[in-house]
Amino acid sequence: MTDTPKTMNGAESVVRSLHKGGVDVCFANPGTSEMQFVDALDRTKLMHCVLGLFEGVVTGAADGYARMAGKPAVTLLHLAPGFANAAANLHNARKGRVPVLNLVGDHALRHQQYDAPLSADVEAACAPFSDWVKSGTDAGSFAADAMQALAVTKGRPGRVASLIAPADIGWDEGGQMAGAIAPDGPAPLDEDALSAAVAALESGQRTLIIAGNSVLEDTSALAQLRGIADKTGADLLAPTSNRRIERGQGRAALAKIPYPINMALETLAPYARAILIETVPPVAFFAYPGRPSLLLPENCDTVTLCSVDGDGPATIAALADRLGAAPAKVQDRLVPARPQGGAITLKNIGAALANALPEDAIIIDEAVSSGGDTYPAGDAARPNSWLSLTGGSIGIGIPLSAGAAIACPDRPVITIQADGSAMYTIQGLWTQAREGSNVTTIILANRAYEILKGELHNVGAQPGPDALSMLNLDRPHLDFVAMAKGMGVPGRRVEDVAELMQAIEDAAKEPGPYLIEAML
Amino acid sequence: MTDTPKTMNGAESVVRSLHKGGVDVCFANPGTSEMQFVDALDRTKLMHCVLGLFEGVVTGAADGYARMAGKPAVTLLHLAPGFANAAANLHNARKGRVPVLNLVGDHALRHQQYDAPLSADVEAACAPFSDWVKSGTDAGSFAADAMQALAVTKGRPGRVASLIAPADIGWDEGGQMAGAIAPDGPAPLDEDALSAAVAALESGQRTLIIAGNSVLEDTSALAQLRGIADKTGADLLAPTSNRRIERGQGRAALAKIPYPINMALETLAPYARAILIETVPPVAFFAYPGRPSLLLPENCDTVTLCSVDGDGPATIAALADRLGAAPAKVQDRLVPARPQGGAITLKNIGAALANALPEDAIIIDEAVSSGGDTYPAGDAARPNSWLSLTGGSIGIGIPLSAGAAIACPDRPVITIQADGSAMYTIQGLWTQAREGSNVTTIILANRAYEILKGELHNVGAQPGPDALSMLNLDRPHLDFVAMAKGMGVPGRRVEDVAELMQAIEDAAKEPGPYLIEAML
């Protein structure tokens, strides 16, 4: 079935070429204009096809897959509205610099001149949420376009590419296999910046190193960075939002720049010098009356030692070499005492997670307003990969976990999921059930868009009952266990913290998905 | 509370001006950048605020509201990803020529230069799904921009306008009240086209009149059109997709151009002449190999008697006058025999609906592949308003019904809802429960993207098990009753057609939402 045939249509040439280029998973929510891809995927059997019941599930899963597999999956999306449904999680992937390759079906070229019901400008719809957009023009060059898109996604630091696929170039014969194109390598080491960074670290002034992206995925680089900090007295922070951090016992830990504006400003206020590695100067999530947009102090002398398209671990090795700094030996961290029981609160949930998160777990963090209390658990827990909401567009957790589980079927996935955010892409539970993935979703049920209550205060409002009603989800109550059951995912509600820990431990050991509704 | 204050911020000036212009409902899924609107809505108490747990619910509800209220609601959306989540149902509203006014929050103007996590080009995101886009520039002119947007939405034939609201112009003082701007009136009657239409109708050749938009909402115009057909021998059809048709006993009935390409071509093949009233030449939903895009025969002589921005009912009156045609007296139509029991099938479901749909109901039709069997029920049933999926982007039914119920709290709303499509915006059930709306959702559970199986054949594929697996929703089964319960909507599963009718009749009589999962 999988021998390359002498003649094939455009869709088949794309599927076969991408597969030769290493793409073997397709996340899909196809429609009529993608039927030739469904057919080609069916006939070639080259890719594992994962169906999402909503496009935001498809792209969130592609993001989670790529973060853990270290390579892109392909998505199959349907016209401009299908792309729009997919866009919020592509926004997150793009801000996280995660490689995702979209095949976006469009009407046949000859049909595009008519105002058919599903017609809209697909290129224009893709542009704000893609780093690269191209529309295929004919069956013969279609696979070459796809391979170009693949190279774009894999270029450092990871990009979102959208190839638009008019239906007729998929079904026309004349498809030609296309070979792999080498992606852009990392930007070279900047020797001047390296000297400036060394000078900053030896200046005697209070200096902060902020390191992001691939540094956080590399335990050796993290240990080397900690060694630099130990030797020079510099402090270390990670950005607020990160695609993946290797955390847990035995690994050097970095705190994050806090999300709340006042905490962020306070955290960064002491620094006269800042060194950036694979990240940009930190900026507030939102603007607020009377607060600055840029978070570092105005007079902070900032060196971009390694831009986001550079090689952070190699840069850190060069910096350590210049400073004569050895990698730090990471000490065991104290695990908070295991809570013995009682109501689940923001005070005990961190300790509960630190004790209950299993070895080698993938943690999907969409805790939002509870994040300040749950995030520290990742350092005290057993070694884990910690994946966060990157672009601020809520509704990533359930899909991200579905994709991560497909990349790493032998690792338990634990999703720490805010309730309000869960509702944006709740359909992803069905994909977890369909794929039999070992994902344990912990719903942090505070029955509110809790984070927005703080934001209302930040703009100077004194919220009355109508405003609060727009931010509360308690009328009616959401019953996540019932919703999960409706999508084939078993689950239970827990109100006791000891019971929560037991439920996490049990669910992670069992194959297949499970949902725990933790009442806060 | 609602007296206009002497000074106010930009957000309050917008809320107060729009309210004076007749807008009294706000469908919202706000985020941080919209907090000043939440605050202004809270303080003024001028609008009924309806929360959706996902933006596609918000815009689908705004569409349903406008179709029934005959005027726009305002939506409150959050930045580019929030708009993207909203876009698919805005696409449907736009294709249905339904007025919707979006307020899309953006970062404060000074914050837009930084690459904050939620930054993206909001204007570019809005453009493919809006007829009009503008970004507000300062608090003083913000309300004037909003009133211009309102006028755009109300201009014939109904438009989608998106006003981008940078956070700071919302919270800045200096808001100024702005008055209503008269929307564009309808295009004037085209006397030449009128003469051409009369000539066509008197030509003796087989002539088809296709009438859309406001004609279908006007029972007098429908009777007059039927009178013209009776007098001249012309046939009448409605477009495939329509925002609202007044149907049922006592009203002139128009069949629709069928969706399946071969049926559509066959239906239109006989006509040498076509007259278009408030519609465009019919075009295939999708292109298929070997089939044309335009559905009327190539040699069909087509007259656009009234363009989509014209006044169809007035045009029909003028045409009837020229022809000396009186309004038809509509005969009672046969109601199919009430099914006595047995499995629910596509053969008996039309009869079941024709008998069970209550008087004066609003029917929301997202039946998709079952539509050919359910649609005819609308003519045999008691008088009803029938609202369809207009832009082909599935996931409209549950939100559309939530909005229609808010526009018409005293009418029962019945949603005929395909299962696959329901999953795109299932969160809308929660909004129905929150608002206590009398919506009865009938899930037509065939556990497949059934319509795509036909489409796979239409592109020449012979689907194997992998392809069918991408189109089947049976692994695992979806349990809609459980999902509805999870969102506060009671329901039941029915497998017998008599039980289905009883369940519809019972649910429509009870206040509040209900869900019936009809197993096909």
Side-chain angles (χ1 to χ4, degrees):
Chain A
M1 287 294 265
T2 63
D3 288 351
T4 307
K6 288 215 179 93
T7 65
M8 59 188 137
N9 67 22
E12 187 168 343
S13 72
V14 168
V15 169
R16 289 187 178 279
S17 299
L18 287 176
H19 179 258
K20 276 209 171 162
V23 179
D24 45 20
V25 176
C26 175
F27 294 95
N29 183 271
T32 301
S33 48
E34 293 72 55
M35 283 300 112
Q36 37 294 329
F37 278 100
V38 171
D39 179 47
L41 290 162
D42 177 48
R43 283 186 289 104
T44 61
K45 318 244 179 274
L46 292 174
M47 295 191 190
H48 176 198
C49 294
V50 180
L51 182 59
L53 294 186
F54 173 70
E55 292 89 344
V57 175
V58 168
T59 48
D63 182 353
Y65 172 87
R67 292 192 201 192
M68 293 312 303
K71 65 177 189 178
V74 67
T75 73
L76 199 52
L77 303 170
H78 183 49
L79 293 159
F83 184 88
N85 282 338
N89 272 334
L90 289 175
H91 174 89
N92 285 324
R94 191 167 168 242
K95 295 287 177 164
R97 308 183 196 283
V98 180
V100 177
L101 170 49
N102 304 303
L103 288 174
V104 189
D106 197 357
H107 284 306
L109 292 167
R110 65 164 162 89
H111 202 64
Q112 293 179 14
Q113 65 188 294
Y114 305 109
D115 187 29
L118 270 164
S119 291
D121 188 335
V122 181
E123 269 193 58
C126 292
F129 303 101
S130 308
D131 297 295
W132 181 97
V133 182
K134 186 171 184 180
S135 204
T137 55
D138 63 84
S141 63
F142 197 9
D145 287 340
M147 296 310 284
Q148 193 192 344
L150 180 61
V152 166
T153 66
K154 290 175 153 183
R156 230 174 152 96
R159 295 189 184 88
V160 172
S162 298
L163 176 60
I164 298 165
D168 46 354
I169 76 168
W171 72 55
D172 281 351
E173 291 298 316
Q176 299 289 329
M177 291 295 289
I181 298 171
D184 292 342
L189 184 70
D190 181 339
E191 293 287 349
D192 291 344
L194 187 59
S195 297
V198 170
L201 290 166
E202 293 177 344
S203 67
Q205 290 185 292
R206 197 137 178 215
T207 302
L208 172 67
I209 303 175
I210 311 176
N213 289 5
S214 70
V215 173
L216 307 177
E217 298 167 344
D218 183 329
T219 52
S220 305
L222 288 170
Q224 214 153 23
L225 192 59
R226 175 58 60 200
I228 290 168
D230 289 349
K231 172 137 194 165
T232 61
D235 289 328
L236 300 180
L237 282 174
T240 307
S241 306
N242 301 288
R243 64 184 179 200
R244 175 176 170 186
I245 314 186
E246 291 300 306
R247 304 182 70 195
Q249 298 288 353
R251 292 156 175 195
L254 264 65
K256 302 195 298 184
I257 298 170
Y259 169 90
I261 179 76
N262 290 343
M263 283 176 70
L265 291 169
E266 203 174 303
T267 301
L268 298 178
Y271 297 103
R273 306 271 197 154
I275 297 169
L276 307 178
I277 302 175
E278 279 197 47
T279 189
V280 296
V283 57
F285 238 80
F286 295 100
Y288 302 94
R291 268 84 142 209
S293 289
L294 290 174
L295 297 174
L296 286 167
E298 241 181 285
N299 56 358
C300 179
D301 188 357
T302 302
V303 178
T304 296
L305 172 57
C306 174
S307 64
V308 292
D309 56 356
D311 183 337
T315 305
I316 288 168
L319 182 63
D321 194 48
R322 282 281 290 270
L323 294 163
K329 285 200 184 9
V330 178
Q331 307 295 317
D332 279 354
R333 278 180 287 271
L334 199 69
V335 182
R338 188 176 173 99
Q340 293 305 304
I344 304 164
T345 67
L346 292 178
K347 278 202 196 318
N348 64 24
I349 193 154
L353 290 170
N355 283 279
L357 293 179
E359 178 84 22
D360 206 28
I362 301 167
I363 314 298
I364 307 293
D365 173 7
E366 195 176 27
V368 191
S369 64
S370 309
D373 300 289
T374 54
Y375 185 79
D379 292 326
R382 300 168 189 92
N384 62 82
S385 301
W386 191 283
L387 279 54
S388 296
L389 169 61
T390 45
S393 185
I394 56 176
I396 198 177
I398 294 171
L400 202 69
S401 55
I406 285 161
C408 300
D410 299 330
R411 296 179 63 179
V413 179
I414 311 283
T415 310
I416 305 172
Q417 179 63 59
D419 52 358
S421 304
M423 288 305 293
Y424 285 72
T425 48
I426 190 77
Q427 306 93 335
L429 292 173
W430 183 83
T431 298
Q432 295 177 3
R434 184 174 175 91
E435 298 292 323
S437 302
N438 184 8
V439 178
T440 303
T441 304
I442 307 165
I443 300 284
L444 302 175
N446 63 13
R447 287 146 285 179
Y449 290 130
E450 194 63 34
I451 196 133
L452 294 181
K453 295 186 187 170
E455 300 291 28
L456 203 50
H457 283 285
N458 279 337
V459 300
Q462 303 294 331
D466 284 14
L468 290 176
S469 157
M470 296 270 277
L471 309 181
N472 281 335
L473 310 178
D474 60 348
R475 191 168 48 85
H477 278 300
L478 290 162
D479 177 345
F480 282 91
V481 175
M483 284 186 273
K485 175 175 174 284
M487 288 180 269
V489 173
R492 59 187 287 207
R493 177 176 294 189
V494 299
E495 312 203 359
D496 178 274
V497 67
E499 212 182 329
L500 170 64
M501 287 186 291
Q502 190 62 51
I504 295 170
E505 287 160 350
D506 291 348
K509 274 184 221 137
E510 288 290 315
Y514 195 81
L515 182 138
I516 302 165
E517 186 170 16
M519 306 309 285
L520 284 177
Chain B
M1 288 293 267
T2 63
D3 287 351
T4 306
K6 289 214 177 96
T7 65
M8 58 188 138
N9 67 23
E12 185 168 343
S13 73
V14 168
V15 168
R16 289 189 178 278
S17 298
L18 288 176
H19 179 258
K20 275 210 171 160
V23 179
D24 45 19
V25 176
C26 175
F27 294 95
N29 183 270
T32 301
S33 47
E34 292 74 51
M35 283 302 110
Q36 35 296 326
F37 278 99
V38 170
D39 178 47
L41 289 161
D42 176 48
R43 281 186 290 106
T44 62
K45 318 247 177 272
L46 292 174
M47 296 193 190
H48 175 196
C49 294
V50 181
L51 182 60
L53 294 186
F54 173 70
E55 293 88 345
V57 174
V58 168
T59 49
D63 181 355
Y65 172 86
R67 292 192 201 192
M68 294 312 303
K71 67 176 187 177
V74 68
T75 74
L76 200 51
L77 303 170
H78 182 49
L79 294 158
F83 184 89
N85 282 339
N89 273 334
L90 289 175
H91 173 90
N92 285 324
R94 190 166 169 241
K95 295 289 175 163
R97 305 180 199 285
V98 179
V100 177
L101 170 49
N102 305 302
L103 289 174
V104 189
D106 197 357
H107 283 305
L109 293 168
R110 66 165 161 89
H111 202 63
Q112 292 179 15
Q113 63 187 296
Y114 305 109
D115 186 31
L118 270 163
S119 291
D121 187 335
V122 181
E123 269 194 59
C126 291
F129 303 101
S130 307
D131 297 296
W132 181 96
V133 182
K134 186 171 183 180
S135 203
T137 55
D138 61 85
S141 63
F142 197 9
D145 286 340
M147 296 310 284
Q148 193 193 344
L150 180 61
V152 167
T153 66
K154 290 174 151 181
R156 234 176 149 94
R159 296 189 185 86
V160 172
S162 298
L163 176 60
I164 297 165
D168 46 354
I169 77 170
W171 74 54
D172 281 352
E173 290 299 315
Q176 300 289 327
M177 291 295 291
I181 298 171
D184 292 341
L189 185 71
D190 179 341
E191 293 287 350
D192 292 343
L194 186 59
S195 297
V198 170
L201 290 165
E202 293 177 342
S203 68
Q205 291 185 292
R206 192 131 181 222
T207 302
L208 172 67
I209 303 175
I210 311 176
N213 287 3
S214 70
V215 174
L216 306 176
E217 297 169 343
D218 181 330
T219 54
S220 306
L222 287 169
Q224 214 154 21
L225 191 60
R226 175 59 61 199
I228 290 169
D230 290 348
K231 172 136 192 166
T232 61
D235 290 328
L236 300 180
L237 282 174
T240 307
S241 305
N242 301 289
R243 64 186 178 199
R244 175 176 170 186
I245 313 184
E246 291 299 307
R247 304 183 69 196
Q249 298 289 352
R251 291 155 174 195
L254 263 66
K256 301 195 298 184
I257 299 170
Y259 169 89
I261 179 76
N262 289 344
M263 284 175 69
L265 291 169
E266 203 175 301
T267 301
L268 299 178
Y271 297 104
R273 306 271 199 156
I275 297 169
L276 307 179
I277 302 175
E278 276 197 51
T279 189
V280 295
V283 56
F285 238 80
F286 294 100
Y288 302 94
R291 267 83 143 213
S293 288
L294 290 173
L295 296 174
L296 285 166
E298 238 180 290
N299 56 358
C300 179
D301 188 357
T302 304
V303 177
T304 298
L305 173 56
C306 174
S307 64
V308 291
D309 56 356
D311 183 337
T315 306
I316 288 168
L319 182 63
D321 192 51
R322 281 281 290 270
L323 294 163
K329 285 198 184 7
V330 178
Q331 308 296 317
D332 280 354
R333 278 181 287 270
L334 198 69
V335 182
R338 188 177 174 98
Q340 292 306 303
I344 303 163
T345 67
L346 292 178
K347 278 202 198 316
N348 63 24
I349 192 153
L353 290 170
N355 283 279
L357 293 179
E359 179 85 21
D360 206 28
I362 301 167
I363 314 297
I364 308 293
D365 174 7
E366 194 176 25
V368 192
S369 64
S370 309
D373 300 288
T374 53
Y375 186 79
D379 292 326
R382 300 168 189 91
N384 61 81
S385 301
W386 192 282
L387 280 54
S388 296
L389 170 61
T390 44
S393 186
I394 57 177
I396 198 176
I398 293 171
L400 202 69
S401 55
I406 284 160
C408 301
D410 299 328
R411 297 178 64 179
V413 179
I414 312 283
T415 310
I416 306 172
Q417 180 63 59
D419 52 358
S421 304
M423 287 305 293
Y424 285 71
T425 48
I426 191 77
Q427 306 93 334
L429 292 172
W430 184 83
T431 298
Q432 295 177 3
R434 184 173 175 93
E435 297 291 323
S437 302
N438 183 7
V439 178
T440 303
T441 303
I442 307 166
I443 299 284
L444 303 175
N446 63 15
R447 287 146 285 179
Y449 289 131
E450 194 65 34
I451 197 134
L452 293 181
K453 295 186 188 171
E455 301 290 29
L456 202 52
H457 283 286
N458 280 336
V459 299
Q462 304 295 329
D466 284 13
L468 289 174
S469 157
M470 296 268 279
L471 308 181
N472 281 335
L473 310 179
D474 60 347
R475 192 166 51 82
H477 279 300
L478 290 161
D479 177 345
F480 282 91
V481 176
M483 283 186 274
K485 174 175 174 287
M487 288 179 270
V489 174
R492 59 187 287 208
R493 178 176 293 191
V494 299
E495 310 203 0
D496 178 275
V497 68
E499 212 182 329
L500 170 64
M501 288 186 292
Q502 191 61 52
I504 296 170
E505 287 160 350
D506 292 348
K509 272 184 223 137
E510 290 289 316
Y514 196 81
L515 181 138
I516 303 165
E517 186 170 17
M519 306 308 286
L520 286 177

